[in-house]
Amino acid sequence: QCAVGHEPLLAGDSLAFSPDAGGAVCGEHGSRARLRFPFSENAVKSLRIFLSHDLPLLPKLSLDAETKGMLRGALRGFLDWVR
């Protein structure tokens, strides 16, 4: 769900990750976020898996290059935001 409006994140929507908004946001709220990074449905699904599984299981995941890039960008942006 969107970190701002709590509505479901829909496939095909222009999703984003916004540290200052609290996480993944829908297209409407993402367009208004001060800090945002492009995010796909697969990136959202990957984060859900990361949060719900034990760390030793995560290296077995197979992520495509686009999803890895989005997650990397969001993580870097988040780390810059907390400095």
Side-chain angles (χ1 to χ4, degrees):
Q1 70 179 1
C2 175
V4 176
H6 307 289
E7 61 272 0
L9 297 173
L10 303 174
D13 196 2
S14 180
L15 305 177
F17 179 84
S18 176
D20 56 339
V25 291
C26 67
E28 179 184 344
H29 292 110
S31 66
R32 293 187 245 153
R34 184 178 55 85
L35 181 62
R36 66 183 176 276
F37 303 91
F39 226 48
S40 66
E41 182 182 4
N42 283 342
V44 172
K45 288 178 182 178
S46 298
L47 279 184
R48 288 180 183 147
I49 291 170
F50 295 165
L51 293 171
S52 64
H53 288 78
D54 292 331
L55 191 59
L57 298 175
L58 298 182
K60 297 177 183 176
L61 288 178
S62 177
L63 300 174
D64 61 74
E66 180 182 20
T67 301
K68 284 182 183 180
M70 287 185 173
L71 291 167
R72 187 176 290 116
L75 179 58
R76 285 183 179 150
F78 174 77
L79 292 172
D80 288 343
W81 178 74
V82 296
R83 287 187 180 170

Coordinates of all heavy atoms in Angstrom, one line a residue:
Q1 N 0.8 -1.2 0.0 CA 0.0 0.0 0.0 C 0.9 1.2 0.0 O 2.0 1.2 0.4 CB -1.0 0.0 1.2 CG -0.3 0.1 2.5 CD -1.4 0.1 3.6 OE1 -2.5 0.0 3.4 NE2 -0.9 0.3 4.8
C2 N 0.3 2.3 -0.5 CA 1.0 3.6 -0.5 C 1.4 4.1 0.9 O 0.5 4.0 1.8 CB 0.2 4.6 -1.2 SG 0.9 6.3 -1.3
A3 N 2.6 4.5 1.1 CA 3.0 5.0 2.4 C 2.3 6.3 2.8 O 2.3 6.6 4.0 CB 4.5 5.2 2.4
V4 N 1.8 7.0 1.9 CA 1.1 8.3 2.2 C -0.4 8.1 2.3 O -1.0 8.3 3.4 CB 1.4 9.4 1.2 CG1 0.6 10.6 1.5 CG2 2.9 9.6 1.1
G5 N -1.1 7.6 1.3 CA -2.5 7.5 1.2 C -3.1 6.2 1.6 O -4.3 6.0 1.8
H6 N -2.2 5.2 1.8 CA -2.6 3.8 2.2 C -3.4 3.1 1.2 O -4.0 2.1 1.6 CB -3.2 3.8 3.6 CG -2.3 4.5 4.6 ND1 -1.2 4.0 5.1 CD2 -2.5 5.7 5.2 CE1 -0.6 4.9 5.9 NE2 -1.4 5.9 6.0
E7 N -3.6 3.6 0.0 CA -4.3 2.8 -1.0 C -3.4 1.8 -1.6 O -2.2 1.9 -1.5 CB -4.8 3.8 -2.1 CG -3.8 4.5 -2.9 CD -3.4 5.9 -2.2 OE1 -4.0 6.2 -1.2 OE2 -2.5 6.5 -2.8
P8 N -3.9 0.8 -2.3 CA -3.1 -0.3 -2.9 C -2.2 0.3 -4.0 O -2.6 1.2 -4.7 CB -4.1 -1.3 -3.5 CG -5.4 -1.0 -2.8 CD -5.4 0.5 -2.4
L9 N -1.0 -0.3 -4.0 CA -0.1 0.1 -5.1 C -0.5 -0.8 -6.3 O -0.5 -2.0 -6.2 CB 1.3 -0.2 -4.7 CG 1.8 0.6 -3.5 CD1 3.2 0.2 -3.1 CD2 1.9 2.1 -3.9
L10 N -0.9 -0.2 -7.4 CA -1.4 -0.9 -8.5 C -0.4 -1.1 -9.6 O 0.4 -0.2 -9.9 CB -2.6 -0.1 -9.1 CG -3.8 0.2 -8.1 CD1 -4.8 1.1 -8.8 CD2 -4.4 -1.1 -7.6
A11 N -0.5 -2.3 -10.2 CA 0.4 -2.6 -11.4 C 0.1 -1.6 -12.5 O -1.0 -1.2 -12.7 CB 0.2 -4.0 -11.8
G12 N 1.2 -1.1 -13.1 CA 1.0 -0.2 -14.2 C 1.0 1.3 -13.7 O 1.1 2.2 -14.5
D13 N 0.9 1.5 -12.4 CA 1.0 2.9 -11.9 C 2.4 3.3 -11.9 O 3.3 2.5 -11.9 CB 0.4 2.9 -10.5 CG 0.1 4.3 -10.0 OD1 0.2 5.3 -10.7 OD2 -0.4 4.4 -8.8
S14 N 2.6 4.6 -11.9 CA 4.0 5.1 -11.8 C 4.5 5.2 -10.4 O 4.3 6.2 -9.7 CB 4.0 6.5 -12.4 OG 5.2 7.1 -12.4
L15 N 5.0 4.1 -9.9 CA 5.4 4.0 -8.5 C 6.7 4.6 -8.2 O 7.5 4.8 -9.1 CB 5.5 2.5 -8.1 CG 4.2 1.6 -8.3 CD1 4.5 0.2 -8.0 CD2 3.0 2.2 -7.6
A16 N 7.0 5.0 -7.0 CA 8.2 5.6 -6.5 C 8.5 5.1 -5.1 O 7.7 4.7 -4.4 CB 8.2 7.1 -6.6
F17 N 9.8 5.3 -4.7 CA 10.2 5.1 -3.4 C 10.6 6.4 -2.8 O 11.5 7.1 -3.4 CB 11.4 4.1 -3.3 CG 11.9 3.9 -1.8 CD1 11.2 3.0 -1.0 CD2 12.9 4.6 -1.3 CE1 11.6 2.8 0.3 CE2 13.3 4.5 0.0 CZ 12.7 3.6 0.8
S18 N 10.0 6.8 -1.7 CA 10.3 8.2 -1.2 C 10.7 8.0 0.3 O 9.8 7.8 1.1 CB 9.1 9.1 -1.3 OG 9.4 10.3 -0.7
P19 N 11.9 8.2 0.7 CA 12.3 8.1 2.1 C 11.5 9.1 3.0 O 11.1 8.7 4.1 CB 13.8 8.4 2.1 CG 14.3 8.2 0.7 CD 13.1 8.5 -0.2
D20 N 11.4 10.3 2.5 CA 10.7 11.3 3.4 C 9.2 11.1 3.4 O 8.5 11.6 4.4 CB 11.0 12.7 2.9 CG 10.8 13.1 1.5 OD1 10.7 12.1 0.7 OD2 10.6 14.3 1.2
A21 N 8.6 10.3 2.5 CA 7.2 10.0 2.5 C 7.0 8.7 3.3 O 5.8 8.3 3.6 CB 6.6 9.9 1.1
G22 N 8.0 7.9 3.6 CA 7.9 6.7 4.4 C 8.0 5.4 3.6 O 7.7 4.4 4.2
G23 N 8.4 5.4 2.3 CA 8.5 4.2 1.6 C 8.0 4.2 0.2 O 8.0 5.3 -0.5
A24 N 7.3 3.1 -0.2 CA 6.8 3.1 -1.6 C 5.5 3.9 -1.6 O 4.7 3.9 -0.8 CB 6.5 1.6 -1.9
V25 N 5.4 4.7 -2.7 CA 4.2 5.5 -2.9 C 3.6 5.4 -4.3 O 4.3 5.0 -5.2 CB 4.6 7.0 -2.7 CG1 4.9 7.3 -1.2 CG2 5.7 7.5 -3.5
C26 N 2.3 5.6 -4.4 CA 1.6 5.6 -5.6 C 2.0 6.7 -6.5 O 2.7 7.6 -6.1 CB 0.1 5.6 -5.4 SG -0.5 7.1 -4.7
G27 N 1.6 6.7 -7.8 CA 1.9 7.7 -8.7 C 1.5 9.1 -8.3 O 2.2 10.1 -8.4
E28 N 0.3 9.2 -7.7 CA -0.3 10.5 -7.3 C 0.6 11.1 -6.1 O 1.0 12.2 -6.2 CB -1.7 10.3 -6.8 CG -2.3 11.6 -6.3 CD -3.7 11.5 -5.7 OE1 -4.3 10.4 -6.0 OE2 -4.1 12.4 -5.0
H29 N 0.9 10.3 -5.1 CA 1.7 10.8 -4.0 C 3.1 10.9 -4.4 O 3.8 11.8 -3.8 CB 1.4 10.0 -2.8 CG 0.0 10.1 -2.2 ND1 -0.9 9.1 -2.3 CD2 -0.6 11.2 -1.7 CE1 -2.0 9.5 -1.8 NE2 -1.9 10.8 -1.4
G30 N 3.6 10.0 -5.2 CA 5.0 10.1 -5.6 C 5.3 11.4 -6.4 O 6.4 11.9 -6.2
S31 N 4.4 11.8 -7.2 CA 4.6 13.1 -7.9 C 4.7 14.3 -7.0 O 5.3 15.3 -7.4 CB 3.5 13.3 -9.0 OG 2.3 13.5 -8.3
R32 N 4.2 14.2 -5.8 CA 4.3 15.3 -4.9 C 5.4 15.2 -3.8 O 5.6 16.1 -3.1 CB 2.9 15.4 -4.1 CG 1.8 15.9 -5.0 CD 0.6 16.1 -4.2 NE -0.4 15.2 -4.6 CZ -1.4 14.8 -3.8 NH1 -1.5 15.3 -2.6 NH2 -2.3 13.9 -4.2
A33 N 6.1 14.0 -3.9 CA 7.1 13.8 -2.9 C 8.3 14.6 -3.2 O 8.7 14.7 -4.4 CB 7.5 12.3 -2.8
R34 N 8.9 15.1 -2.2 CA 10.1 16.0 -2.3 C 11.3 15.1 -2.9 O 12.0 15.6 -3.7 CB 10.5 16.6 -1.0 CG 11.7 17.6 -1.1 CD 11.9 18.3 0.3 NE 12.1 17.3 1.4 CZ 13.3 16.7 1.7 NH1 14.3 17.0 1.0 NH2 13.4 15.9 2.7
L35 N 11.5 14.0 -2.3 CA 12.6 13.1 -2.7 C 12.0 11.8 -3.1 O 11.2 11.1 -2.4 CB 13.5 12.9 -1.5 CG 14.7 12.0 -1.7 CD1 15.7 12.6 -2.7 CD2 15.4 11.8 -0.3
R36 N 12.2 11.4 -4.4 CA 11.6 10.1 -4.9 C 12.6 9.4 -5.9 O 13.4 10.1 -6.5 CB 10.3 10.4 -5.5 CG 10.3 11.2 -6.7 CD 8.9 11.5 -7.2 NE 8.9 12.3 -8.4 CZ 9.0 13.7 -8.3 NH1 9.0 14.3 -7.1 NH2 9.0 14.4 -9.4
F37 N 12.4 8.1 -5.9 CA 13.2 7.3 -6.8 C 12.3 6.4 -7.6 O 11.4 5.8 -6.9 CB 14.3 6.5 -6.0 CG 15.2 7.4 -5.2 CD1 14.9 7.7 -3.9 CD2 16.3 7.9 -5.8 CE1 15.7 8.5 -3.2 CE2 17.1 8.7 -5.1 CZ 16.8 9.0 -3.7
P38 N 12.5 6.2 -8.9 CA 11.6 5.3 -9.6 C 11.6 3.9 -9.0 O 12.6 3.4 -8.5 CB 12.2 5.3 -11.0 CG 13.4 6.1 -11.0 CD 13.6 6.7 -9.7
F39 N 10.4 3.3 -9.0 CA 10.2 2.0 -8.3 C 9.2 1.2 -9.2 O 8.2 1.7 -9.6 CB 9.7 2.2 -6.9 CG 10.4 1.4 -5.9 CD1 11.8 1.3 -5.8 CD2 9.7 0.7 -4.9 CE1 12.4 0.6 -4.8 CE2 10.3 -0.1 -3.9 CZ 11.7 -0.1 -3.9
S40 N 9.5 -0.1 -9.4 CA 8.6 -0.9 -10.1 C 7.8 -1.8 -9.2 O 8.1 -2.0 -8.0 CB 9.4 -1.8 -11.1 OG 10.2 -2.7 -10.4
E41 N 6.8 -2.5 -9.8 CA 6.0 -3.5 -9.0 C 7.0 -4.6 -8.5 O 6.8 -5.0 -7.3 CB 4.9 -4.0 -9.9 CG 4.0 -5.0 -9.1 CD 3.0 -5.6 -10.0 OE1 2.9 -5.3 -11.2 OE2 2.2 -6.4 -9.5
N42 N 7.9 -5.0 -9.3 CA 8.9 -6.0 -8.9 C 9.7 -5.6 -7.7 O 10.1 -6.3 -6.8 CB 9.7 -6.5 -10.0 CG 9.0 -7.4 -11.0 OD1 8.0 -8.0 -10.6 ND2 9.5 -7.6 -12.2
A43 N 10.1 -4.3 -7.7 CA 10.9 -3.8 -6.6 C 10.1 -3.8 -5.3 O 10.6 -4.1 -4.3 CB 11.4 -2.3 -6.9
V44 N 8.8 -3.4 -5.4 CA 8.0 -3.5 -4.2 C 7.8 -4.9 -3.7 O 8.0 -5.2 -2.5 CB 6.6 -2.9 -4.5 CG1 5.6 -3.1 -3.4 CG2 6.6 -1.4 -4.8
K45 N 7.6 -5.9 -4.6 CA 7.5 -7.3 -4.3 C 8.8 -7.8 -3.6 O 8.8 -8.5 -2.6 CB 7.2 -8.1 -5.5 CG 5.8 -7.9 -6.0 CD 5.5 -8.8 -7.2 CE 4.1 -8.6 -7.8 NZ 3.9 -9.4 -9.0
S46 N 9.9 -7.3 -4.2 CA 11.2 -7.8 -3.6 C 11.4 -7.3 -2.2 O 11.9 -8.0 -1.3 CB 12.4 -7.2 -4.5 OG 12.3 -7.8 -5.8
L47 N 11.0 -6.0 -1.9 CA 11.1 -5.5 -0.6 C 10.2 -6.3 0.4 O 10.6 -6.5 1.5 CB 10.7 -4.0 -0.5 CG 11.7 -3.0 -0.9 CD1 11.2 -1.6 -0.7 CD2 13.0 -3.1 -0.2
R48 N 9.1 -6.7 -0.1 CA 8.2 -7.5 0.8 C 8.8 -8.8 1.1 O 8.7 -9.3 2.3 CB 6.8 -7.7 0.1 CG 6.0 -6.4 0.0 CD 4.7 -6.7 -0.7 NE 3.9 -5.5 -0.7 CZ 3.1 -5.2 -1.7 NH1 2.9 -6.1 -2.7 NH2 2.4 -4.1 -1.8
I49 N 9.5 -9.4 0.1 CA 10.2 -10.7 0.4 C 11.3 -10.5 1.4 O 11.5 -11.3 2.3 CB 10.7 -11.3 -1.0 CG1 9.5 -11.7 -1.8 CG2 11.6 -12.4 -0.7 CD1 9.8 -12.1 -3.2
F50 N 12.1 -9.4 1.2 CA 13.2 -9.1 2.1 C 12.7 -9.0 3.5 O 13.4 -9.5 4.4 CB 13.9 -7.8 1.7 CG 14.6 -7.8 0.3 CD1 15.0 -6.6 -0.2 CD2 14.8 -9.0 -0.4 CE1 15.6 -6.6 -1.4 CE2 15.5 -8.9 -1.6 CZ 15.9 -7.7 -2.1
L51 N 11.6 -8.4 3.7 CA 11.1 -8.1 5.1 C 10.5 -9.4 5.7 O 10.4 -9.4 6.9 CB 10.1 -7.0 5.0 CG 10.7 -5.6 4.7 CD1 9.5 -4.6 4.5 CD2 11.6 -5.1 5.8
S52 N 10.1 -10.3 4.9 CA 9.3 -11.4 5.4 C 10.1 -12.7 5.5 O 9.6 -13.8 5.9 CB 8.0 -11.7 4.6 OG 8.4 -12.0 3.3
H53 N 11.4 -12.7 5.0 CA 12.2 -13.9 5.0 C 13.5 -13.7 5.8 O 14.0 -12.6 6.0 CB 12.6 -14.3 3.6 CG 11.4 -14.9 2.9 ND1 10.4 -14.1 2.3 CD2 11.0 -16.2 2.6 CE1 9.5 -14.8 1.7 NE2 9.8 -16.1 1.9
D54 N 14.1 -14.8 6.2 CA 15.3 -14.8 7.0 C 16.5 -14.4 6.0 O 16.5 -14.8 4.8 CB 15.6 -16.2 7.6 CG 14.7 -16.5 8.7 OD1 14.2 -15.6 9.4 OD2 14.4 -17.7 8.9
L55 N 17.4 -13.7 6.5 CA 18.6 -13.3 5.7 C 19.3 -14.4 4.9 O 19.6 -14.1 3.8 CB 19.5 -12.5 6.6 CG 20.6 -11.7 6.0 CD1 20.1 -10.7 5.0 CD2 21.5 -11.1 7.0
P56 N 19.5 -15.5 5.5 CA 20.2 -16.6 4.7 C 19.5 -17.0 3.4 O 20.1 -17.5 2.5 CB 20.4 -17.7 5.7 CG 20.3 -17.1 7.0 CD 19.4 -15.9 6.9
L57 N 18.2 -16.8 3.4 CA 17.4 -17.2 2.2 C 17.5 -16.2 1.1 O 17.3 -16.5 -0.1 CB 16.0 -17.4 2.6 CG 15.7 -18.5 3.6 CD1 14.2 -18.6 3.9 CD2 16.1 -19.9 3.0
L58 N 17.8 -15.0 1.4 CA 17.8 -13.9 0.4 C 18.8 -14.0 -0.8 O 18.4 -13.7 -1.9 CB 17.9 -12.5 1.0 CG 16.8 -12.2 2.1 CD1 17.0 -10.8 2.6 CD2 15.4 -12.3 1.5
P59 N 20.0 -14.5 -0.6 CA 20.9 -14.7 -1.8 C 20.3 -15.6 -2.8 O 20.8 -15.6 -4.0 CB 22.2 -15.2 -1.2 CG 22.1 -14.8 0.2 CD 20.7 -14.8 0.6
K60 N 19.4 -16.5 -2.5 CA 18.8 -17.4 -3.5 C 17.8 -16.7 -4.4 O 17.4 -17.3 -5.4 CB 18.1 -18.5 -2.8 CG 19.1 -19.4 -1.9 CD 18.3 -20.5 -1.2 CE 19.3 -21.2 -0.3 NZ 18.7 -22.2 0.5
L61 N 17.4 -15.5 -4.1 CA 16.5 -14.7 -5.0 C 17.1 -14.4 -6.3 O 18.3 -14.1 -6.4 CB 16.1 -13.4 -4.3 CG 15.1 -13.5 -3.1 CD1 14.9 -12.1 -2.6 CD2 13.8 -14.2 -3.5
S62 N 16.3 -14.5 -7.3 CA 16.8 -14.1 -8.7 C 16.1 -12.8 -9.1 O 14.9 -12.7 -9.3 CB 16.5 -15.2 -9.7 OG 16.9 -14.8 -11.0
L63 N 16.9 -11.7 -9.1 CA 16.4 -10.4 -9.5 C 16.9 -9.9 -10.8 O 18.1 -10.1 -11.1 CB 16.7 -9.4 -8.4 CG 16.3 -9.6 -7.0 CD1 16.8 -8.6 -6.0 CD2 14.7 -9.6 -6.9
D64 N 16.1 -9.4 -11.6 CA 16.5 -8.8 -12.9 C 17.3 -7.6 -12.7 O 17.2 -6.9 -11.6 CB 15.4 -8.6 -13.9 CG 14.3 -7.6 -13.4 OD1 14.6 -6.4 -13.4 OD2 13.2 -8.1 -12.9
A65 N 18.1 -7.2 -13.7 CA 19.0 -6.0 -13.6 C 18.2 -4.7 -13.3 O 18.6 -3.9 -12.5 CB 19.8 -5.8 -14.9
E66 N 17.0 -4.6 -13.9 CA 16.2 -3.3 -13.7 C 15.8 -3.2 -12.2 O 15.9 -2.2 -11.6 CB 15.0 -3.3 -14.6 CG 14.2 -2.1 -14.4 CD 12.9 -2.1 -15.3 OE1 12.5 -3.1 -15.7 OE2 12.4 -1.0 -15.5
T67 N 15.3 -4.3 -11.7 CA 14.9 -4.3 -10.3 C 16.0 -4.1 -9.3 O 15.9 -3.3 -8.4 CB 14.2 -5.7 -9.9 OG1 13.0 -5.8 -10.8 CG2 13.7 -5.7 -8.5
K68 N 17.2 -4.7 -9.6 CA 18.4 -4.5 -8.8 C 18.8 -3.0 -8.8 O 19.1 -2.4 -7.8 CB 19.5 -5.3 -9.3 CG 19.5 -6.8 -8.9 CD 20.7 -7.5 -9.4 CE 20.6 -9.0 -9.1 NZ 21.9 -9.7 -9.6
G69 N 18.7 -2.4 -10.0 CA 19.1 -1.0 -10.1 C 18.1 -0.1 -9.3 O 18.6 0.9 -8.7
M70 N 16.8 -0.4 -9.4 CA 15.9 0.4 -8.6 C 16.1 0.3 -7.1 O 16.0 1.2 -6.4 CB 14.4 0.0 -9.0 CG 14.1 0.5 -10.4 SD 12.3 0.1 -10.7 CE 12.2 1.0 -12.3
L71 N 16.3 -1.0 -6.7 CA 16.5 -1.2 -5.3 C 17.8 -0.5 -4.8 O 17.9 0.1 -3.7 CB 16.6 -2.7 -4.9 CG 15.2 -3.4 -5.1 CD1 15.5 -4.9 -5.1 CD2 14.3 -3.0 -4.0
R72 N 18.9 -0.6 -5.6 CA 20.1 0.0 -5.3 C 20.0 1.6 -5.2 O 20.4 2.2 -4.3 CB 21.2 -0.3 -6.4 CG 22.6 0.1 -6.1 CD 23.6 -0.3 -7.2 NE 23.7 -1.8 -7.1 CZ 23.4 -2.7 -8.0 NH1 22.9 -2.2 -9.1 NH2 23.6 -3.9 -7.9
G73 N 19.3 2.1 -6.2 CA 19.0 3.6 -6.1 C 18.2 4.0 -4.9 O 18.5 5.0 -4.3
A74 N 17.2 3.2 -4.6 CA 16.4 3.6 -3.4 C 17.2 3.5 -2.1 O 17.1 4.3 -1.3 CB 15.1 2.7 -3.4
L75 N 18.0 2.4 -2.0 CA 18.8 2.2 -0.8 C 19.8 3.4 -0.7 O 20.0 3.9 0.4 CB 19.5 0.9 -0.9 CG 20.4 0.6 0.3 CD1 19.6 0.7 1.6 CD2 21.1 -0.8 0.2
R76 N 20.5 3.7 -1.8 CA 21.4 4.8 -1.7 C 20.7 6.1 -1.4 O 21.2 6.9 -0.5 CB 22.1 5.0 -3.1 CG 23.2 3.9 -3.3 CD 23.9 4.2 -4.6 NE 24.9 3.2 -4.8 CZ 25.3 2.7 -6.0 NH1 24.8 3.2 -7.1 NH2 26.2 1.8 -6.1
G77 N 19.6 6.4 -2.0 CA 18.8 7.6 -1.6 C 18.4 7.6 -0.2 O 18.5 8.6 0.5
F78 N 18.0 6.4 0.3 CA 17.6 6.4 1.7 C 18.8 6.6 2.6 O 18.7 7.4 3.6 CB 17.0 5.0 2.0 CG 16.7 4.8 3.5 CD1 15.6 5.3 4.1 CD2 17.6 4.0 4.3 CE1 15.3 5.1 5.4 CE2 17.3 3.8 5.6 CZ 16.2 4.4 6.2
L79 N 19.9 6.1 2.3 CA 21.1 6.3 3.2 C 21.6 7.7 3.1 O 22.0 8.3 4.1 CB 22.2 5.3 2.7 CG 22.0 3.8 3.0 CD1 23.1 3.0 2.4 CD2 21.8 3.6 4.5
D80 N 21.5 8.4 2.0 CA 21.8 9.8 1.9 C 20.8 10.6 2.7 O 21.2 11.6 3.3 CB 21.8 10.3 0.4 CG 23.0 9.7 -0.4 OD1 24.0 9.3 0.2 OD2 22.9 9.8 -1.6
W81 N 19.6 10.2 2.7 CA 18.5 10.9 3.4 C 18.7 10.9 4.9 O 18.4 11.8 5.6 CB 17.2 10.3 3.0 CG 16.0 10.9 3.7 CD1 15.4 12.1 3.4 CD2 15.2 10.3 4.7 NE1 14.3 12.3 4.3 CE2 14.2 11.2 5.1 CE3 15.3 9.1 5.4 CZ2 13.2 10.9 6.1 CZ3 14.4 8.8 6.4 CH2 13.4 9.7 6.7
V82 N 19.2 9.8 5.4 CA 19.4 9.6 6.9 C 20.7 10.3 7.4 O 20.9 10.3 8.6 CB 19.4 8.2 7.4 CG1 18.0 7.6 7.1 CG2 20.5 7.3 6.8
R83 N 21.5 10.7 6.6 CA 22.8 11.4 7.0 C 22.6 12.7 7.7 O 21.8 13.5 7.5 CB 23.7 11.6 5.8 CG 24.3 10.4 5.3 CD 25.3 10.7 4.3 NE 25.9 9.4 3.8 CZ 26.6 9.3 2.8 NH1 27.0 10.3 2.1 NH2 27.1 8.1 2.4

